[in-house]
Amino acid sequence: LQDAGKRIEEISNSNSLRNVDKALAAQTVITLANIDAGRITPLDPRERGSEKLEWRDTGLVDTSGFDELNARQDLD
């Protein structure tokens, strides 16, 4: 977000762009920041290398840490 804010400020302070170009450039920066924010995912609390494999309808599934994931309040 800080990077997007700096880029928008640079666009705003530009003397070589027309106002319509500034608006379009700022909108593009905001759109790209929104796309980047959509890719953010929570960290997986399971320990690396630990696995608890179970056969399910979809095949072999690692169920290690499912209880801990379901207990997290920030994922509700």
Side-chain angles (χ1 to χ4, degrees):
L1 288 176
Q2 290 177 349
D3 182 47
K6 288 177 186 176
R7 289 174 37 198
I8 290 174
E9 187 174 339
E10 290 172 2
I11 292 168
S12 175
N13 294 334
S14 174
N15 291 330
S16 61
L17 294 174
R18 298 176 301 165
N19 284 339
V20 67
D21 295 329
K22 288 180 183 182
L24 183 60
Q27 183 179 4
T28 301
V29 170
I30 293 170
T31 301
L32 292 175
N34 186 30
I35 291 169
D36 289 342
R39 292 185 193 142
I40 296 174
T41 58
L43 296 176
D44 193 346
R46 297 179 288 185
E47 291 184 25
R48 186 170 176 81
S50 65
E51 57 186 24
K52 184 171 121 184
L53 302 175
E54 293 181 6
W55 283 103
R56 298 204 175 171
D57 294 336
T58 58
L60 192 61
V61 177
D62 180 12
T63 60
S64 175
F66 277 22
D67 295 333
E68 290 84 359
L69 283 172
N70 290 332
R72 288 180 55 178
Q73 298 296 324
D74 60 332
L75 298 179
D76 288 340

